């Protein structure tokens, strides 16, 4: 019985096995093709999304960096600006003109900082927040030094003056760091999972 049954089963099993193997291979190929197409579409869509965000981001980053550079350069060109964060300057340094100009120049910094924060990513907006805070401090310290300049030996004047110089000297490294982080964000083609 076993001899009769075995040849019959071999041919039947072979036919069913062949059909089953062909079906499994076809279904497997369809799944693999479908997965590959979905993955390719996802990556292409993500890259296109990042490309569309890159141009507006580039403009926002440029406006912010330019506004900060304006403040930095205005302070640098102020007569008798010391290089050392430990130095302080005479009260004439903190003129009404300087403090008024710094207050006016802070407006585009704050406006463009908000645009950077909305454009992201977090690494860029965090760097921009640090710079915006330094620019605000710069204005506050200039106004503080101006209001206490009648007594240049007072603790308040010396403290405000030193803090102003130290903050002013920190703007260039902060701006350089921002530009480096912004470039990395703009160089991302969207295939990375996230820039942080």
């Amino acid at each position: 019985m076993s001899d009769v049954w075995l040849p019959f089963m071999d041919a039947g099993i072979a036919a069913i096995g062949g059909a089953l193997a062909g079906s499994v291979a076809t279904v497997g190929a369809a799944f693999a093709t479908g997965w590959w197409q979905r993955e390719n579409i996802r990556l292409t869509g993500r890259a296109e999304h990042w490309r569309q965000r890159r141009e507006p981001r580039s403009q926002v980053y440029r406006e912010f960096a330019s506004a900060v550079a304006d403040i930095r350069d205005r302070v640098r060109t102020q007569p008798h600006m010391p290089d050392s964060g430990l130095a302080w300057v005479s009260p004439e340094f903190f003129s009404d003109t300087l403090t008024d100009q710094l207050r006016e120049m802070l407006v585009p910094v704050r406006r463009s900082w908000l645009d950077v924060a909305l454009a992201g990513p977090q690494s860029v907006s965090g760097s921009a927040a640090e710079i915006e805070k330094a620019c605000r401090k710069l204005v506050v310290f200039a106004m503080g030094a101006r209001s206490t300049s009648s007594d240049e030996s007072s603790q308040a004047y010396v403290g405000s003056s030193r803090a102003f110089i130290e903050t002013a000297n920190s703007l260039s490294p902060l701006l350089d760091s921002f530009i480096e982080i912004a470039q990395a964000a703009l160089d991302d083609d969207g295939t990375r999972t996230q820039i942080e």
Side-chain angles (χ1 to χ4, degrees):
M1 180 172 177
S2 133
D3 291 336
V4 174
W5 180 252
L6 194 56
F8 172 73
M9 289 300 288
D10 286 339
I13 289 175
I16 292 172
L20 185 60
S23 296
V24 168
T26 302
V27 169
F31 277 129
T33 301
W35 174 85
W36 180 82
Q37 287 175 341
R38 280 190 309 275
E39 193 65 20
N40 193 28
I41 289 169
R42 185 183 71 77
L43 289 174
T44 302
R46 185 177 180 105
E48 179 64 17
H49 170 75
W50 280 97
R51 188 193 65 73
Q52 289 175 357
R53 289 190 69 186
R54 180 183 178 165
E55 285 183 36
R57 277 183 171 178
S58 177
Q59 182 64 31
V60 166
Y61 298 166
R62 183 180 300 113
E63 288 172 8
F64 178 74
S66 177
V68 173
D70 288 345
I71 286 183
R72 180 201 60 197
D73 295 345
R74 173 61 184 95
V75 172
R76 277 184 179 172
T77 60
Q78 181 71 9
H80 311 295
M81 175 65 183
D83 291 330
S84 170
L86 300 176
W88 68 89
V89 292
S90 67
E92 293 79 32
F93 180 86
F94 297 103
S95 65
D96 288 336
T97 303
L98 175 66
T99 55
D100 289 346
Q101 286 177 346
L102 290 177
R103 275 198 316 239
E104 289 173 16
M105 296 171 101
L106 183 61
V107 173
V109 169
R110 297 196 78 193
R111 183 175 43 245
S112 58
W113 164 73
L114 182 59
D115 292 339
V116 170
L118 293 173
Q122 180 63 38
S123 56
V124 178
S125 58
S127 176
E130 189 176 358
I131 293 172
E132 187 270 343
K133 184 178 179 181
C135 289
R136 275 189 292 122
K137 285 174 147 181
L138 196 66
V139 172
V140 169
F141 294 143
M143 292 171 63
R146 181 73 185 146
S147 68
T148 59
S149 63
S150 58
D151 182 8
E152 69 177 283
S153 62
S154 74
Q155 188 101 11
Y157 174 77
V158 171
S160 291
S161 177
R162 282 186 178 176
F164 176 88
I165 301 302
E166 186 175 311
T167 304
N169 288 330
S170 74
L171 283 181
S172 280
L174 287 172
L175 186 56
D176 291 345
S177 177
F178 169 79
I179 290 169
E180 185 178 317
I181 293 168
Q183 285 173 337
L186 292 173
D187 286 343
D188 178 34
D189 62 0
T191 57
R192 295 184 214 165
T193 55
Q194 190 174 11
I195 298 176
E196 286 300 331

